[in-house]
Amino acid sequence: MSLFTENMKLLTAVVIEKKSDEVVKALLSIGALDFVQITNLPPDQLAKLSQKRPNSDRLAIEDTRRRIENLLRQSGRVLPNSSLLKVEDMVSLDVKGYRKILDEFSASISEIKEFQKNLNQRYEILSEIKHYLEIGKRDFVDIRVGTIKTDFEKLSKRLSDYGSLILKNENYIATLSLKRDTTNISQILDMAGWTESGDASIQKQGSLKITEELNEKMDSILEEKLELENSIKEKIQAKEPTLITIWCNLRLHELSDQIRSYFNYTKNTTLFSGWVPQKMVQKVEEAIYSASEGQCIIDQSEPSEIESKNIPVEVKTPKFFKPFEKMVTNYGIPEYGTINPTWFVAIAYLSMFMLMFADLGQGFVLLLIGLISHFSYKKNPMKPDSIISRGISVLLMYLGVASMIGGLVFGSTFGFSIIPPLWFNYHSVVMGNAALGTSVQNVYDILGITIIYGIIIIFVGLIINWINLIIKKKFIELAFSRTGLTGAMLYSVGLYIGYIYVTSDYKTFPTDNWIFITLIIGALCLLVKEPLEYYIDKKAGKKVESFSSMIGNTLMMWPIEMLETFTGYMSNTLSFMRVAGLGIAHVSLMGAFETLAEGPGMTSVFGILILVLGNILVIALEGLSAGIQSLRLNYYEFFTKFFTGKGIAYSPVSLRSIER
Amino acid sequence: MKSPVNTYGFINAKLRAKIGDIRNPQLQDDLLKSGSLVEAIGVLREYGYERAADVYDKTGDLQLVELSLLNDEIQDLMNIQKYLSGASKQLIKTLLTRIEVENLKNAIRLWYSSAIHHRPISYRSAYLIKYKIVNKINYHNIINAVTFDNIIDSVKGSWYEHVLREYTLEQIEVEGLFDLETSIDLKLMDFIYEASNSLKGDDKAIAMKLFKMEVDLKNIIMLVRYGWFHKLEGEKLNKILYPYSRVYKDDATKAYINANPKNRLVESILKENYNDLSDFVSSNADSKTRMINQIRELERYLFKKKGQLFENCLGGKPFTIATPLAYFYLREQQYSIICGMVGGKYYGVDAQKIKGLIL
């Protein structure tokens, strides 16, 4: 992983028009070109270029692709993705034909669905009857046992409109229906020449049999319903290869059209331009050359020729650091050519978490939760994200390990000091039982450590900023800004004042003359920054605001800048005390649970239960809190020193481009 | 007393996030573009309606899918109640009663169909909600009732009991359910009025504004539909109107009600109350179909107006009852739109036509 964002080059190519399709395929296959619209040609030349209408209706392609996805979703299978795409599989497009296939397939499923619906409605009636029998509402149910004079099948068919169940036996016929349909049922039975049996034993037997029949019928419908449900899934799965082939072709055409939308045409040639990471330039050039059979001209532009704010930024991060890259990109994209902060974020975030949530046992639990949820998602890729999302499950593994290391450093396992600490016993220090002779004796010492830790983080942020400013050649900002050398000078003076004040037992401030002089110089540096930039820009012929406006702005902004510098750095530094605060709270909570567990009258079972519950509570609440606070410290205390987030992300059109 | 920030800070932040999801037009767009009901269910699954999609997988029954969506809506709205207290909670509870009223009306209609008309209702009771939403109601007893007293017993202890006691089986057999249902609706509107009126400060102003707007719109629809299209007698028409707000109290409305049903000039009430509505309906409509189309257009316009008012509420003060009320409205609207769209897909209606009818 490079410490900086990747170097980029702008390629502009002219290829013979008849070879443009092959070039599109080659570019798609490599997937390294972040296309730009050609606008930097002289207007008369630009006027000669034309754009072609895409070969196909992109909206229709996308809609058809999404229709396939919706169908596949119904089979509970993993949706096709970019890993299946191969440029060589691309064939001519027939959206109408695909739609016809989908319509016919959907219609065939709808037929089964209709049957499934009817079956379910039948099941609903029977389950209503069964429900009434089970809750003793027999007055809602009508059971009849008797004989008929006409055809059984006919009677059975007529009764089915009412959801009635009918059973034929050697000696009798039994019917089971809802009392609310009595009027109609009686009419139907009368038409069939029904004679109710007067024999009590037959009545009893008939009632019993029809109730058994109800259960059997419901079981058989349930089985049939399940079979139908599976048959639909199987039907979709059987069609899956065809659907996936169509999906891939649609997706390939979608991407090709996306590439073509950046193409400009003359009568016989095609012109396009795009950004490529420097290490890919040769590969891309060779691909264009080969696809166009040498009938092309390729031109390279250096990034230095273009304003850096228009250059896309590729941040290369090894897989190991991916969760932290997300933290960076969630905030913003680094500017082109500046330092990629992912490394620093990874170290800062994990070390902060470690200091706030240091426990070997609880860290192991976090690691375990992370591992379990990660593999559960891997096993079931269709599973929707739960509270512990895919991203969080990976992060939990890192945090678990960090917490375990913290546990070893401070000798804490599930809140107990079982193992000797590598540095100092956090638990003993917080509880006021620190071993004599150790460097850390009380909570003030812990607070001091986190303040020093914060100062280091802030200075790392400032140094990154200085490097970035040197790269961007912003020397005025480097020298005179709040986050430049002036800011660092003022911050250092502030730290010195604070140090003297604390070491004098909070009684005296330093009175050295150089402090006053340095503060005056710092304030003046902040004041001259704006006029200096104005003067340089004006001299360079850049468009600037009016002089009076610049003076007005400077005088208005200066006091604010001063105030922000002094209060900002102080609050940023003190903000790191939360690292100690959460660490102390963590130990105190565990101590409280320990005391509760050992309290008078507490049996060992209850004691263990309290400790288990206490650990669960601390893992859930403190873990979450430490995670959020670490993120906050990174975003507000660290990033604000160097990270503008003004970069634009490098997003080449490739087979891996994310589909909507 | 809790401050507005304490009362609404958490719940409104939560609801605003959900409102963002509801407002996302992508779901509707994708539902419209789906080629069949099976695909539309796939879309629902993608947008987090897994429960409803699972119901379809297991039953193939669209009405059960709709019931599942309604269940989700009820649970969601019940959850809002938990975060509120006092008069605000009471108003939300009363609004939740609207869903219960529709469910109760459906249950009584099933009974009416079975007991009075002797038509089989067979599996249709499966489409009713049977659990307690706000009041304790025994829905099984209603659909299986032999006498009207059985129905009254099924709602015993709730306010519905007093409403139903004003009717007899004979009356219902002769006149149908229209009057009974109207009485329930009128009573519900009284409760909503009382609940809105018992709020304080900004909450009261917002709730009353929305209440009055809704009453006016409903009254206009009834005046047009029953007074103009069905030519209901003046006395009857007056009885079904909600006795609140501007339209009801207006002199033009009174004149319209008292006029000969055949000579009622629908423009008079529209012009007097909402001048922009008079474009939609003309008393000179020469056929029933044209009248129906005009009423449909008018209703669509009124619903749009209602939607706009709720949207405006969202742009107002952040810590008021406006957000829960707007969420209520948007949730109901979302439910209707989804049901309308999947229904359209089931019957193979063209996407453009569905769009025209629903959106």
Side-chain angles (χ1 to χ4, degrees):
Chain A
M1 179 176 78
S2 165
L3 192 60
F4 295 92
T5 62
E6 294 287 301
N7 283 332
M8 307 292 282
K9 285 224 166 164
L10 182 69
L11 290 189
T12 303
V14 182
V15 298
I16 201 87
E17 211 258 310
K18 62 182 176 192
K19 292 286 172 195
S20 69
D21 280 350
E22 281 73 18
V23 172
V24 167
K25 282 184 185 175
L27 292 174
L28 186 57
S29 193
I30 292 180
L33 210 60
D34 185 354
F35 289 90
V36 290
Q37 296 288 1
I38 292 173
T39 51
N40 56 354
L41 288 175
D44 56 325
Q45 287 186 32
L46 209 57
K48 287 178 191 166
L49 298 174
S50 64
Q51 277 201 319
K52 278 189 182 172
R53 285 172 66 85
N55 294 340
S56 46
D57 181 355
R58 272 177 76 179
L59 218 60
I61 297 177
E62 192 190 310
D63 291 348
T64 315
R65 172 175 59 77
R66 288 181 63 75
R67 280 187 63 186
I68 295 173
E69 288 166 9
N70 291 330
L71 268 174
L72 289 172
R73 239 176 232 118
Q74 292 303 88
S75 69
R77 297 283 279 256
V78 184
L79 291 185
N81 55 47
S82 55
S83 65
L84 300 170
L85 298 177
K86 286 187 191 122
V87 175
E88 55 274 23
D89 292 343
M90 197 160 138
V91 292
S92 63
L93 200 64
D94 176 19
V95 179
K96 258 189 186 169
Y98 297 157
R99 281 184 167 171
K100 200 176 164 216
I101 293 172
L102 292 177
D103 287 343
E104 283 170 2
F105 185 58
S106 283
S108 70
I109 292 176
S110 298
E111 269 174 38
I112 308 175
K113 280 292 193 192
E114 198 59 28
F115 185 65
Q116 189 191 24
K117 183 184 89 177
N118 295 333
L119 198 65
N120 189 68
Q121 286 173 346
R122 175 92 181 106
Y123 184 79
E124 290 291 350
I125 306 171
L126 297 181
S127 62
E128 191 183 348
I129 296 174
K130 191 179 177 188
H131 174 69
Y132 294 146
L133 289 173
E134 278 172 355
I135 61 168
K137 282 276 184 188
R138 288 192 86 97
D139 50 332
F140 288 171
V141 179
D142 186 11
I143 299 177
R144 298 187 193 198
V145 182
T147 52
I148 54 166
K149 288 178 184 149
T150 54
D151 183 19
F152 173 77
E153 295 303 322
K154 222 177 195 175
L155 175 67
S156 178
K157 199 165 173 281
R158 278 184 179 160
L159 285 178
S160 68
D161 287 346
Y162 295 86
S164 303
L165 200 63
I166 185 163
L167 172 80
K168 193 180 177 187
N169 199 292
E170 277 176 25
N171 306 323
Y172 59 83
I173 286 172
T175 66
L176 176 62
S177 45
L178 285 160
K179 200 62 137 281
R180 62 184 182 229
D181 296 322
T182 294
T183 316
N184 296 315
I185 300 280
S186 296
Q187 273 178 15
I188 294 169
L189 290 178
D190 286 347
M191 278 163 67
W194 179 269
T195 312
E196 188 75 18
S197 170
D199 186 334
S201 69
I202 289 184
Q203 278 284 351
K204 198 177 171 187
Q205 197 188 351
S207 296
L208 202 68
K209 282 279 171 204
I210 195 85
T211 316
E212 283 171 12
E213 174 73 8
L214 173 72
N215 290 330
E216 280 168 23
K217 188 79 187 165
M218 283 183 72
D219 287 345
S220 88
I221 295 180
L222 209 58
E223 218 167 277
E224 219 177 321
K225 270 175 64 178
L226 202 66
E227 270 172 29
L228 276 178
E229 198 184 329
N230 289 333
S231 80
I232 292 169
K233 279 185 183 165
E234 282 162 14
K235 204 172 160 72
I236 299 176
Q237 280 165 16
K239 194 81 175 172
E240 202 174 272
T242 314
L243 294 176
I244 287 177
T245 308
I246 298 174
W247 185 91
C248 288
N249 199 34
L250 287 165
R251 183 69 190 137
L252 286 167
H253 278 276
E254 235 179 307
L255 292 167
S256 301
D257 279 354
Q258 197 183 336
I259 291 178
R260 271 195 205 93
S261 69
Y262 290 96
F263 280 17
N264 289 277
Y265 298 87
T266 63
K267 198 178 170 190
N268 297 312
T269 62
T270 303
L271 184 70
F272 59 86
S273 188
W275 287 97
V276 188
Q278 196 169 21
K279 57 180 185 256
M280 293 291 288
V281 169
Q282 200 186 344
K283 202 174 170 190
V284 174
E285 281 185 345
E286 279 170 13
I288 298 172
Y289 193 80
S290 158
S292 62
E293 291 171 1
Q295 299 176 80
C296 64
I297 301 165
I298 304 169
D299 177 53
Q300 287 185 22
S301 302
E302 291 298 325
S304 54
E305 297 168 34
I306 290 140
E307 238 187 313
S308 66
K309 66 174 187 185
N310 294 326
I311 305 172
V313 179
E314 188 185 23
V315 183
K316 265 264 184 254
T317 311
K319 213 176 166 188
F320 187 76
F321 284 111
K322 277 287 169 197
F324 303 99
E325 185 187 296
K326 192 109 182 115
M327 279 184 197
V328 173
T329 50
N330 269 349
Y331 188 90
I333 305 289
E335 283 184 80
Y336 178 74
T338 61
I339 288 179
N340 170 10
T342 310
W343 269 103
F344 301 97
V345 170
I347 295 165
Y349 188 84
L350 290 175
S351 59
M352 284 170 196
F353 190 85
M354 183 195 86
L355 290 170
M356 288 190 250
F357 197 80
D359 194 290
L360 186 64
Q362 291 170 355
F364 181 70
V365 174
L366 285 185
L367 174 66
L368 217 59
I369 296 171
L371 280 169
I372 292 169
S373 52
H374 177 66
F375 285 109
S376 133
Y377 284 124
K378 241 185 163 173
K379 207 174 156 189
N380 184 5
M382 287 290 278
K383 188 177 161 188
D385 274 5
S386 59
I387 289 184
I388 300 172
S389 66
R390 285 170 169 77
I392 290 179
S393 65
V394 178
L395 191 64
L396 275 180
M397 293 192 262
Y398 288 83
L399 297 180
V401 173
S403 177
M404 286 169 76
I405 295 170
L408 289 172
V409 171
F410 301 119
S412 175
T413 312
F414 290 120
F416 291 100
S417 306
I418 301 168
I419 43 163
L422 294 176
W423 186 6
F424 65 88
N425 190 321
Y426 212 122
H427 200 92
S428 304
V429 172
V430 173
M431 296 300 171
N433 318 316
L436 288 173
T438 52
S439 57
V440 183
Q441 285 292 312
N442 52 41
V443 287
Y444 293 106
D445 293 337
I446 297 175
L447 286 168
I449 291 168
T450 54
I451 295 270
I452 293 167
Y453 172 78
I455 294 167
I456 294 169
I457 295 279
I458 290 171
F459 265 110
V460 169
L462 287 175
I463 292 166
I464 294 174
N465 188 46
W466 301 342
I467 297 169
N468 285 346
L469 291 173
I470 291 169
I471 292 166
K472 290 191 276 183
K473 295 189 174 68
K474 290 188 172 176
F475 299 112
I476 301 285
E477 206 177 321
L478 171 67
F480 300 111
S481 74
R482 197 157 58 85
T483 49
L485 295 169
T486 302
M489 181 178 77
L490 291 171
Y491 181 43
S492 305
V493 172
L495 288 175
Y496 175 73
I497 295 171
Y499 174 73
I500 297 296
Y501 180 63
V502 171
T503 49
S504 70
D505 228 2
Y506 306 97
K507 281 176 185 152
T508 51
F509 285 102
T511 50
D512 314 50
N513 285 340
W514 65 266
I515 295 176
F516 185 66
I517 295 165
T518 319
L519 289 176
I520 296 283
I521 292 171
L524 286 174
C525 284
L526 290 176
L527 178 68
V528 297
K529 181 183 159 261
E530 196 89 356
L532 263 175
E533 279 179 340
Y534 173 83
Y535 173 73
I536 290 166
D537 285 350
K538 197 172 179 186
K539 209 176 162 193
K542 286 185 187 168
K543 199 181 169 191
V544 288
E545 57 187 334
S546 70
F547 182 75
S548 57
S549 160
M550 182 275 290
I551 292 292
N553 277 344
T554 306
L555 292 176
M556 265 172 60
M557 291 303 293
W558 184 56
I560 298 168
E561 189 91 340
M562 290 280 290
L563 197 72
E564 272 194 7
T565 307
F566 290 113
T567 59
Y569 275 112
M570 190 169 80
S571 64
N572 286 165
T573 309
L574 295 178
S575 190
F576 280 90
M577 283 166 72
R578 78 185 65 229
V579 175
L582 273 161
I584 293 164
H586 180 236
V587 170
S588 307
L589 261 173
M590 286 317 302
F593 285 118
E594 218 175 295
T595 314
L596 267 176
E598 289 164 357
M602 193 62 70
T603 63
S604 58
V605 178
F606 272 113
I608 292 169
L609 197 69
I610 285 176
L611 284 176
V612 171
L613 288 174
N615 268 288
I616 293 171
L617 195 77
V618 166
I619 290 170
L621 293 181
E622 287 272 323
L624 182 72
S625 185
I628 293 169
Q629 294 301 337
S630 304
L631 194 65
R632 184 223 178 275
L633 286 170
N634 269 284
Y635 279 175
Y636 294 104
E637 268 64 58
F638 185 45
F639 277 17
T640 48
K641 302 293 168 291
F642 66 95
F643 197 28
T644 62
K646 286 180 183 169
I648 45 169
Y650 164 68
S651 60
V653 181
S654 77
L655 297 176
R656 309 281 167 265
S657 296
I658 295 163
E659 61 266 12
R660 186 186 76 81
Chain B
M1 203 178 122
K2 271 182 162 181
S3 72
V5 180
N6 278 338
T7 311
Y8 296 112
F10 178 71
I11 184 67
N12 285 12
K14 203 172 149 107
L15 292 179
R16 277 187 183 268
K18 287 183 165 193
I19 285 170
D21 280 347
I22 293 179
R23 276 170 161 175
N24 178 7
Q26 204 58 55
L27 165 68
Q28 295 167 16
D29 199 36
D30 286 351
L31 277 175
L32 280 174
K33 284 176 180 168
S34 55
S36 65
L37 179 60
V38 182
E39 288 172 31
I41 298 295
V43 173
L44 287 184
R45 197 184 293 284
E46 190 195 354
Y47 284 88
Y49 295 94
E50 285 99 355
R51 259 193 299 271
D54 286 346
V55 168
Y56 184 72
D57 289 349
K58 287 187 168 57
T59 66
D61 193 338
L62 187 57
Q63 277 177 278
L64 287 178
V65 172
E66 289 175 3
L67 185 75
S68 165
L69 290 169
L70 186 62
N71 271 324
D72 286 352
E73 187 186 333
I74 293 169
Q75 297 313 319
D76 193 16
L77 300 179
M78 278 176 163
N79 269 335
I80 298 176
Q81 270 193 89
K82 287 183 197 163
Y83 294 103
L84 294 171
S85 57
S88 331
K89 184 176 184 163
Q90 186 55 38
L91 177 60
I92 298 299
K93 196 175 168 183
T94 314
L95 292 176
L96 200 54
T97 314
R98 287 209 294 216
I99 300 177
E100 183 180 85
V101 161
E102 286 312 309
N103 195 51
L104 175 66
K105 286 200 274 188
N106 284 337
I108 296 175
R109 280 173 206 156
L110 284 180
W111 163 79
Y112 182 78
S113 183
S114 166
I116 311 290
H117 288 298
H118 304 299
R119 291 190 197 117
I121 56 172
S122 57
Y123 53 85
R124 282 180 192 84
S125 75
Y127 306 139
L128 288 177
I129 288 164
K130 312 268 177 26
Y131 56 84
K132 180 183 166 186
I133 302 174
V134 178
N135 295 286
K136 203 176 164 194
I137 299 170
N138 192 328
Y139 293 99
H140 287 296
N141 283 358
I142 294 178
I143 50 174
N144 291 294
V146 180
T147 64
F148 190 64
D149 282 342
N150 293 150
I151 294 187
I152 295 172
D153 282 345
S154 309
V155 294
K156 205 166 187 175
S158 71
W159 60 268
Y160 302 109
E161 184 188 350
H162 307 291
V163 180
L164 296 189
R165 280 205 187 280
E166 288 168 19
Y167 294 86
T168 60
L169 182 63
E170 294 70 34
Q171 204 179 338
I172 288 167
E173 273 177 339
V174 176
E175 293 170 11
L177 290 172
F178 182 76
D179 286 348
L180 179 116
E181 289 187 3
T182 308
S183 298
I184 295 175
D185 288 338
L186 281 166
K187 193 71 192 163
L188 174 65
M189 210 45 114
D190 288 343
F191 286 132
I192 298 176
Y193 173 79
E194 280 166 26
S196 305
N197 206 30
S198 63
L199 291 164
K200 300 264 181 296
D202 287 334
D203 282 352
K204 182 173 177 174
I206 292 163
M208 287 306 282
K209 186 179 174 186
L210 292 170
F211 173 79
K212 284 176 183 173
M213 177 268 306
E214 183 152 17
V215 165
D216 276 347
L217 300 190
K218 282 191 168 173
N219 277 343
I220 287 179
I221 289 173
M222 285 195 282
L223 285 165
V224 175
R225 192 184 273 186
Y226 299 112
W228 180 57
F229 185 75
H230 292 293
K231 313 218 181 301
L232 210 64
E233 290 297 324
E235 199 186 336
K236 273 205 153 183
L237 184 59
N238 194 42
K239 232 174 144 184
I240 62 169
L241 293 179
Y242 299 110
Y244 302 100
S245 198
R246 195 167 57 150
V247 172
Y248 179 77
K249 291 170 186 160
D250 193 67
D251 287 339
T253 307
K254 282 172 189 150
Y256 175 85
I257 294 169
N258 294 327
N260 182 336
K262 286 178 187 167
N263 301 329
R264 279 186 187 132
L265 286 175
V266 73
E267 295 92 331
S268 65
I269 44 160
L270 296 181
K271 209 163 199 173
E272 193 63 34
N273 293 290
Y274 295 96
N275 198 22
D276 47 342
L277 296 183
S278 52
D279 298 340
F280 289 93
V281 187
S282 156
S283 296
N284 300 326
D286 45 14
S287 69
K288 286 239 168 191
T289 320
R290 230 182 123 202
M291 284 170 99
I292 291 168
N293 285 340
Q294 287 186 355
I295 293 172
R296 205 175 276 161
E297 279 297 305
L298 173 76
E299 286 180 359
R300 197 204 301 263
Y301 178 81
L302 290 175
F303 285 131
K304 212 169 172 182
K305 230 173 154 57
K306 184 177 164 184
Q308 275 166 359
L309 194 65
F310 276 103
E311 290 284 338
N312 292 345
C313 279
L314 278 174
K317 291 183 180 174
F319 304 114
T320 63
I321 199 154
T323 309
L325 294 180
Y327 181 74
F328 235 90
Y329 166 74
L330 290 169
R331 196 73 168 81
E332 277 179 359
Q333 198 194 32
Q334 173 88 331
Y335 168 75
S336 311
I337 290 174
I338 293 176
C339 290
M341 285 185 172
V342 289
K345 290 291 161 193
Y346 177 73
Y347 290 108
V349 182
D350 175 66
Q352 282 309 313
K353 202 168 177 188
I354 297 176
K355 199 175 174 182
L357 287 170
I358 295 171
L359 299 178

